[in-house]
């Protein structure tokens, strides 16, 4: 005879089975997921609070090495659509998004939340649809927001030539592409950028709005024999006039050339990259490790408020050479010289009335040395020299050395093997001007010191 308790139990069990079978079933198999990130702890004994701070010179971002950068995580979901009027192998249709999370003020990502002071910063830098080889043709098209950037000096996280990351659209036929980007934002706090924000009072109210920047980009790649590829770049930038404001219509141009060469070595993957880029007017960006040409550098002319006469010249050499199955070397060199529209070679007044530098020279030379002690244990060392001259100030200089014994659980002898678990020890030596002007994030918190130190244990990964 069934008891009352047994009866209740049977009813609950029956309902549980029914509810379980009634749950939504995910049947979409056209989905993939990627991620990149770096997370771990950083420690600087030279700072009273022992907070790990980046040793690189201010205004250069990660030029000088990136192992002492803070935490970040990117999540990359993507959906893949199946065409119905073409062979599945000929047409590729994707939607991809990128969810980015990083911490501020050198806090640890796992210790903060969006409600914390100096907590998590979140963004959506990618959300776009791209269709390649439409219906078997050689035409491709995309629209949305994306990280549209290509070769970089990876050890410094420096996308030096064709970083067009912004919202826009593009079309490509064979090796030629045309894109338009619209990077303007309502932002009154940024420095060294042509301001977009202004107050619109047409309807009688003071509404903060922005003028748009239109960036047109034409790129063409020429493939040569012997694994050489030459990329040609041309850009045109324009912003409209805003009446009753100090913001006149303005424009700028960019031209550039990049040569990629694959090198034949016993261990494959060696290459050499050389690039030259020149931008004028409002297209003379960027700064602080960002290389987007729409990040206008310097101040405008006093006479008419334009950036006529502004320029930026950048030269980059980057190589990976796998000496043999045991050794590899990854050197780079970066030279940048930029000037704003104002006549001054030192400081000048921007649209917001702030005094900012109107001329700069950046130099960065360095290399990573790879020693494959075992398939799963690599020893990475880096040596960098960087200098920065702002206006008529003396040159700030830094030499940095990093030792990073690295566990590589995939057991691959490659510069690109991931994930990494690194044990990091870095020391930097600053020249007199860098030391006395507190010209690095470390010095700004530690005070005037000849040497800076950083220790940490971090993991880094990527999978697409």
């Amino acid at each position: 005879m069934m008891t009352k308790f047994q009866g209740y139990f049977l009813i609950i069990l029956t309902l549980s089975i029914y509810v379980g079978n009634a749950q939504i079933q995910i049947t979409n198999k056209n989905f993939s997921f990627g991620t990149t990130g770096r997370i771990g702890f950083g420690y600087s004994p030279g700072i009273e609070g022992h907070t790990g701070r980046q040793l690189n010179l201010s205004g250069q971002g990660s030029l000088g090495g990136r192992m002492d950068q803070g935490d970040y995580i990117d999540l990359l979901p993507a959906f893949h659509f199946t065409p119905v009027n073409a062979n599945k192998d000929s047409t590729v249709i994707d939607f991809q998004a990128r969810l980015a999370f990083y911490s501020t003020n050198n806090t640890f990502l796992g210790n903060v939340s969006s409600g914390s002071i100096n907590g998590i910063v979140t963004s959506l830098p990618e959300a776009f649809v791209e269709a390649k080889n439409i219906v078997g043709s050689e035409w491709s098209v995309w629209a949305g927001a994306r990280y549209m950037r290509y070769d970089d000096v990876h050890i410094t996280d420096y996308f030096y030539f064709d970083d067009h990351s912004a919202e826009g659209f593009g079309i490509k036929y064979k090796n030629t592409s045309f894109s338009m980007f619209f990077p303007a934002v309502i932002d009154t706090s940024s420095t060294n950028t042509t301001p977009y924000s202004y107050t619109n009072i047409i309807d009688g109210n003071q509404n903060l709005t922005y003028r748009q920047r239109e960036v047109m980009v034409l790129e063409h790649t020429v493939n040569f024999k012997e694994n050489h590829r030459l990329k040609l770049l041309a850009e045109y930038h324009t912003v409209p006039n805003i009446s009753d404001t100090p913001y006149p219509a303005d424009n700028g141009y960019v031209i550039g050339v990049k040569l990629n060469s694959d090198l034949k070595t016993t261990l494959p993957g060696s290459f050499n990259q050389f690039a030259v880029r020149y931008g004028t007017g409002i297209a003379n960006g960027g700064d602080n490790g960002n290389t987007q040409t729409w990040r206008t550098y310097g101040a405008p002319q006093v006479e008419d408020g334009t950036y006529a006469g502004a320029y930026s010249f950048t030269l980059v050499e980057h190589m990976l050479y796998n000496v043999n199955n045991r050794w590899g070397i990854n050197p780079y060199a970066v030279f940048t010289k930029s000037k704003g529209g104002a006549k001054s070679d030192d400081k000048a007044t921007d649209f917001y009335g702030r005094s900012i530098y109107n001329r700069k020279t950046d130099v960065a030379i360095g290399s990573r040395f790879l020693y494959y002690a075992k398939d799963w244990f690599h020893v990475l060392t880096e040596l960098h020299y960087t200098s920065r001259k702002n206006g008529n100030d003396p040159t700030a200089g830094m030499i940095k050395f990093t030792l990073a014994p690295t566990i590589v659980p995939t057991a691959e002898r490659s510069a690109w093997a991931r994930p990494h678990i690194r044990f990091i020890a870095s020391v930097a030596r600053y020249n007199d001007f860098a030391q006395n002007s507190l010209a690095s994030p470390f010095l700004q918190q530690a005070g005037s010191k000849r040497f800076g130190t950083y220790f940490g244990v971090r993991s880094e990964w990527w999978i697409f």
Side-chain angles (χ1 to χ4, degrees), residues 16 36 47 83 85 96 110 154 170 184 237 266 268 277 285 303 338-339 360 365 395 403 412 416 450:
S16 298
T36 68
I47 296 174
N85 295 322
Q96 179 174 301
H154 172 71
H237 299 218
T266 303
R277 192 181 74 182
E303 296 80 7
S338 302
K339 189 176 185 300
K360 67 159 186 173
I365 302 171
T395 298
L403 174 64
E412 179 186 5
W416 314 115
R450 176 69 67 190

Side-chain angles (χ1 to χ4, degrees), residues 365-383:
I365 302 171
S367 182
R368 174 178 290 180
F369 303 90
L370 305 101
Y371 174 63
Y372 304 119
K374 294 180 178 294
D375 290 342
W376 58 270
F377 181 67
H378 304 173
V379 179
L380 309 181
T381 56
E382 292 183 5
L383 182 62

Side-chain angles (χ1 to χ4, degrees), residues 167-182:
E167 195 156 335
F169 66 90
I171 187 168
K172 181 177 181 180
Y173 178 71
K174 294 185 178 180
N175 295 330
T176 304
S177 66
F178 173 78
S179 307
M180 286 196 68
F181 301 94
F182 305 87

Side-chain angles (χ1 to χ4, degrees), residues 442-455:
F442 170 85
L443 293 173
Q444 289 167 8
Q445 190 161 336
S448 178
K449 293 188 176 184
R450 176 69 67 190
F451 293 92
T453 53
Y454 177 95
F455 300 94

Side-chain angles (χ1 to χ4, degrees), residues 13-25:
L13 181 61
T14 303
L15 289 174
S16 298
I17 294 174
Y18 172 78
V19 172
N21 289 333
Q23 289 180 349
I24 296 174
Q25 300 295 314

Side-chain angles (χ1 to χ4, degrees), residues 131-284:
K132 298 179 181 178
N133 305 119
I134 302 173
V135 195
S137 71
E138 297 188 80
W139 289 93
S140 301
V141 65
W142 68 272
R146 66 183 301 182
Y147 264 1
M148 195 171 186
R149 54 191 193 179
Y150 301 93
D151 296 323
D152 70 321
V153 180
H154 172 71
I155 65 173
T156 62
D157 200 25
Y158 186 70
F159 290 82
Y160 53 87
F161 182 77
D162 40 15
D163 184 354
H164 310 308
S165 303
E167 195 156 335
F169 66 90
I171 187 168
K172 181 177 181 180
Y173 178 71
K174 294 185 178 180
N175 295 330
T176 304
S177 66
F178 173 78
S179 307
M180 286 196 68
F181 301 94
F182 305 87
V185 295
I186 296 179
D187 185 0
T188 58
S189 63
S190 62
T191 60
N192 289 357
T193 10
T194 298
Y196 305 115
S197 307
Y198 68 96
T199 302
N200 184 336
I201 56 174
I202 291 178
D203 63 355
N205 298 313
Q206 291 188 347
N207 299 314
L208 189 64
T209 185
Y210 65 95
R211 62 173 177 170
Q212 188 58 269
R213 177 189 289 236
E214 300 172 26
V215 181
M216 306 174 195
V217 179
L218 181 65
E219 297 169 290
H220 179 71
T221 300
V222 181
N223 294 314
F224 296 99
K225 294 181 180 179
E226 302 292 331
N227 298 319
H228 298 290
R229 297 169 302 282
L230 185 70
K231 186 171 187 179
L232 307 176
L233 169 70
E235 300 181 14
Y236 174 69
H237 299 218
T238 180
V239 291
N241 172 68
I242 303 299
S243 58
D244 300 323
T245 74
Y247 308 152
D250 210 348
N251 57 48
Y253 303 86
V254 177
I255 57 172
V257 59
K258 176 175 64 174
L259 177 64
N260 275 12
S261 301
D262 297 330
L263 306 179
K264 295 180 180 180
T265 52
T266 303
L267 191 66
S270 300
F271 61 80
N272 186 76
Q273 300 167 349
F274 177 78
V276 178
R277 192 181 74 182
Y278 183 79
T280 65
I282 61 171
N284 74 335

Side-chain angles (χ1 to χ4, degrees), residues 431-462:
N431 71 359
D432 289 342
F433 182 72
Q435 175 185 347
N436 296 331
S437 62
L438 308 181
S440 81
F442 170 85
L443 293 173
Q444 289 167 8
Q445 190 161 336
S448 178
K449 293 188 176 184
R450 176 69 67 190
F451 293 92
T453 53
Y454 177 95
F455 300 94
V457 179
R458 291 190 175 276
S459 61
E460 181 179 89
W461 68 92
W462 57 61

